[in-house]
């Protein structure tokens, strides 16, 4: 597979959020408006590139018994550096993102790519894969944030776009969009839309329903 | 992936190597970024003071904030006597830098004069919240008995819950509240007790009861005999007012 495909595949057809359903927690929490979403996306991409690169470079040295601990150590250090950088150069955004920058450590996409990809590929491919998955995450995050900010506040990047009723316009804000559940709905609709367009992505039912009216309660 | 022999020694070596690399990376980053963060913190602190003094708004530019801050008169006072400490720069004096729970002997206060007359005085206050030390500024009107503003500068209370002590709606309840009654007794409190007259009382916040009560407790402590009581009396005398 060429390097370019490593970058383009995860954008839609192998998107970490809509196909692999990874990294949802932060996608729900920080997609309320564009600016924090953009900064969050850049932070995740930086950490992802660093961790994939380091894990790939160390893939022949990492002892299996403590492999995960070392990977998490590398990821956590990168997250601290990113967090401190944000505190220095984007302190306002850093306050908005609060704990979610620190929680990048537990973002499943990052450890997932390190384990599934970087351990088996060279540094160049790993960086390409990190960029691809980072951009895939960023597209969804920023897309959802755009919809939420537009419908929830009538603005984009805090610039008024839709004329509000309060200011004599016609647009009434949808407050539900400002709360995390709306991101659930939006991502759900997005997954539905993508899987309708690309039926290949829909998972095969693993087992038939047991009987009519019976609802599966365990997952 | 590594499939070869794994001796304990080699595992240790890799672990130590990765740990040293990571700690070096974090140390260098933090060391380089600390001054930038400190500069930002200083501006934010000035912003809180200036906001309490009623000059710049919360979203004023950094330059406005600093020039407004320098337009105030900063003095360092000795809490025990209430006297002004001579020869100390009040603008840069930081009694919070040392941390700790004890009340420092000397504290900076910020006076806003307009055409020679005292308009507001801004007093730094701090104390234990629910989890964290709350740092805030209490501004008093020229009568030194009426709250002009209360601005929370820094706290580590629970995000979304205890941080409602920064809610503008709640903070807007503060201006106009009285501190002491005609007899000089400190009545002011953050409380839901209706026996405290409304003009001396800011309501506690539903859902942030502990944090908001803590704010009331620390403000009362700082206004008492161990706090600014003597300094305010001395200030009233210096400004030529009857306290």
């Amino acid at each position: 597979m060429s390097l370019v495909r490593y970058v383009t595949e995860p954008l839609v057809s192998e998107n970490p959020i809509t196909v692999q359903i990874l990294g949802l927690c932060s996608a729900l929490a920080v997609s309320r408006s564009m600016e924090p979403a953009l900064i969050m996306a850049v932070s995740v991409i930086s950490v992802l590139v660093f961790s994939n690169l380091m894990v790939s470079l160390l893939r022949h040295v990492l002892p299996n018994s403590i492999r995960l601990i070392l990977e998490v150590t590398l990821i956590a250090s990168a997250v601290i550096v990113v967090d401190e950088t944000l505190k220095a150069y984007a302190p306002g955004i850093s306050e908005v993102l609060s704990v979610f920058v620190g929680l990048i450590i537990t973002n499943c996409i990052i450890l997932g790519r390190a384990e599934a990809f970087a351990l088996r590929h060279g540094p160049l491919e790993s960086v390409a894969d990190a960029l691809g998955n980072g951009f895939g995450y960023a597209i969804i995050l920023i897309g959802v944030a755009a919809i939420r900010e537009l419908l929830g506040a009538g603005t984009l990047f805090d610039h008024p776009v839709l004329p509000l009723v309060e200011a004599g316009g016609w647009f009434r804000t949808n407050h539900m969009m400002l709360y995390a559940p709306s991101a659930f709905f939006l991502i759900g609709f997005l997954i539905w839309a993508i899987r309708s367009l690309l039926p290949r992505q829909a998972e095969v039912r693993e087992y038939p329903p047991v009987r009519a009216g019976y609802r599966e309660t365990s997952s | 992936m590594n499939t070869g022999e794994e001796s304990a020694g080699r595992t240790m070596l890799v672990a130590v190597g990765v740990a040293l690399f990571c700690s070096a990376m974090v140390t260098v980053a933090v060391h380089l970024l600390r001054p930038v963060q400190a500069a930002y913190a200083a501006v934010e602190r000035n912003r809180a003071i200036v906001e309490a003094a009623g000059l710049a708004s919360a979203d004023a530019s950094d330059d406005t904030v600093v020039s407004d801050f320098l337009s105030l008169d900063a003095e360092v006072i000795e809490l025990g006597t209430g006297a002004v400490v001579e020869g100390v720069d009040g603008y840069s004096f930081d009694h919070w830098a040392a941390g700790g729970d004890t009340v420092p002997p000397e504290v900076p206060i910020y006076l806003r004069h307009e055409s020679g007359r005292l308009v507001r005085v801004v007093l730094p206050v701090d104390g234990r919240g629910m989890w964290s030390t709350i740092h805030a500024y209490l501004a008093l009107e020229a009568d030194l008995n009426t709250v002009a503003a209360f601005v929370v500068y820094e706290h580590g209370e629970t995000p979304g819950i205890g941080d409602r002590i920064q809610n503008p709606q709640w903070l807007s309840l503060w201006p106009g509240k009285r501190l002491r009654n005609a007899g000089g007794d400190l009545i002011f409190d953050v409380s839901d007790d209706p026996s405290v007259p409304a003009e001396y009382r800011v309501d506690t916040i539903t859902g942030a009861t502990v944090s908001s009560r803590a704010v009331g407790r620390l403000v009362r402590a700082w206004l008492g005999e161990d706090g600014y009581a003597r300094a305010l009396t001395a200030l009233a005398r210096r400004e030529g007012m009857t306290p």
Side-chain angles (χ1 to χ4, degrees):
Chain A
M1 209 153 82
S2 75
L3 283 182
V4 179
R5 287 198 58 200
Y6 283 125
V7 181
T8 53
E9 283 278 286
L11 296 186
V12 178
S13 56
E14 286 295 331
N15 189 288
I17 295 185
T18 61
V19 180
Q20 298 164 17
I21 322 289
L22 293 178
L24 275 185
C25 352
S26 59
L28 298 179
V30 300
S31 60
R32 185 171 144 167
S33 54
M34 295 286 282
E35 210 181 350
L38 192 68
I39 301 272
M40 182 70 178
V42 173
S43 311
V44 168
I45 292 172
S46 330
V47 175
L48 193 50
V49 168
F50 174 84
S51 86
N52 256 18
L53 178 66
M54 290 307 293
V55 170
S56 168
L57 287 174
L58 294 172
R59 68 190 187 281
H60 299 300
V61 208
L62 289 180
N64 249 323
S65 48
I66 55 169
R67 190 186 75 230
L68 278 172
I69 300 176
L70 293 183
E71 284 168 12
V72 173
T73 309
L74 287 165
I75 297 171
S77 312
V79 168
I80 295 172
V81 172
V82 167
D83 196 19
E84 293 292 322
T85 311
L86 286 184
K87 276 184 192 151
Y89 294 104
I93 298 288
S94 165
E95 269 164 39
V96 173
L97 292 174
S98 67
V99 292
F100 291 104
V101 176
L103 286 176
I104 295 177
I105 296 169
T106 59
N107 189 318
C108 336
I109 298 173
I110 291 164
L111 194 61
R113 289 332 289 172
E115 279 283 294
F117 194 93
L119 274 177
R120 293 178 186 79
H121 294 84
L124 217 56
E125 290 98 323
S126 296
V127 169
D129 177 77
L131 286 174
N133 279 279
F135 289 141
Y137 172 84
I139 289 177
I140 304 296
L141 192 66
I142 292 170
V144 171
I147 300 174
R148 287 182 66 186
E149 190 179 341
L150 196 62
L151 298 182
T155 59
L156 281 179
F157 286 107
D158 291 329
H159 291 296
V161 175
L162 302 175
L164 300 181
V165 170
E166 290 82 358
W170 51 269
F171 182 69
R172 197 173 287 282
T173 54
N174 183 339
H175 280 275
M176 188 191 73
M177 285 294 163
L178 298 180
Y179 295 99
S182 69
F184 249 128
F185 305 144
L186 290 175
I187 292 175
F189 281 127
L190 206 59
I191 292 173
W192 182 23
I194 293 176
R195 287 184 186 193
S196 304
L197 292 172
L198 304 167
R200 182 179 67 79
Q201 286 190 3
E203 285 125 23
V204 186
R205 196 191 284 276
E206 282 174 23
Y207 45 84
V210 178
R211 62 168 187 270
Y214 173 82
R215 281 176 177 236
E216 191 66 29
T217 47
S218 63
S219 54
Chain B
M1 198 186 311
N2 172 44
T3 47
E5 195 103 342
E6 282 185 25
S7 69
R10 211 181 67 98
T11 305
M12 277 306 271
L13 196 72
V14 177
V16 170
V18 170
L20 281 179
F21 172 77
C22 287
S23 50
M25 186 174 81
V26 170
T27 312
V28 169
V30 170
H31 182 75
L32 292 179
L33 294 168
R34 207 51 102 202
V36 187
Q37 293 174 353
Y40 169 74
V43 173
E44 283 313 289
R45 191 159 166 179
N46 292 357
R47 188 185 302 276
I49 296 167
V50 164
E51 206 187 329
L55 288 175
S57 63
D59 48 4
S61 76
D62 292 358
D63 290 340
T64 320
V65 166
V66 172
S67 68
D68 281 345
F69 176 66
L70 293 176
S71 78
L72 300 172
D73 298 309
E75 325 185 308
V76 177
I77 52 159
E78 197 185 337
L79 287 177
T81 60
V84 178
V85 182
E86 299 295 337
V88 184
D89 178 22
Y91 296 103
S92 58
F93 190 84
D94 185 5
H95 66 296
W96 286 335
D101 279 341
T102 51
V103 176
E106 291 168 357
V107 173
I109 64 171
Y110 310 92
L111 310 174
R112 178 180 159 202
H113 286 98
E114 255 167 33
S115 46
R117 290 191 46 216
L118 182 70
V119 183
R120 275 191 190 189
V121 52
V122 179
L123 310 168
V125 293
D126 64 285
R128 296 283 306 155
M130 187 162 171
W131 317 111
S132 64
T133 305
I134 298 171
H135 293 116
Y137 290 96
L138 178 72
L140 302 181
E141 302 284 3
D143 66 356
L144 303 183
N145 195 36
T146 309
V147 177
F150 184 71
V151 177
V152 178
Y153 158 63
E154 191 181 55
H155 70 86
E157 300 300 279
T158 320
I161 301 172
D163 69 1
R164 287 179 210 164
I165 57 173
Q166 275 190 309
N167 182 324
Q169 224 176 331
W170 184 64
L171 294 173
S172 73
L173 300 175
W174 285 68
K177 298 295 176 190
R178 317 272 298 160
L179 303 177
R180 294 171 185 276
N181 64 10
D185 299 319
L186 182 60
I187 312 285
F188 177 85
D189 203 358
V190 174
S191 158
D192 47 13
D193 178 2
S195 70
V196 180
E199 57 172 327
Y200 298 99
R201 172 164 57 91
V202 171
D203 279 332
T204 43
I205 307 170
T206 308
T209 316
V210 179
S211 297
S212 51
R213 276 203 188 126
V215 168
R217 199 163 52 238
L218 71 91
V219 167
R220 280 181 61 87
W222 274 98
L223 290 171
E225 284 304 308
D226 295 330
Y228 291 113
R230 286 192 192 87
L232 289 177
T233 315
L235 177 66
R237 203 177 303 125
R238 267 189 290 136
E239 298 286 335
M241 293 177 300
T242 45

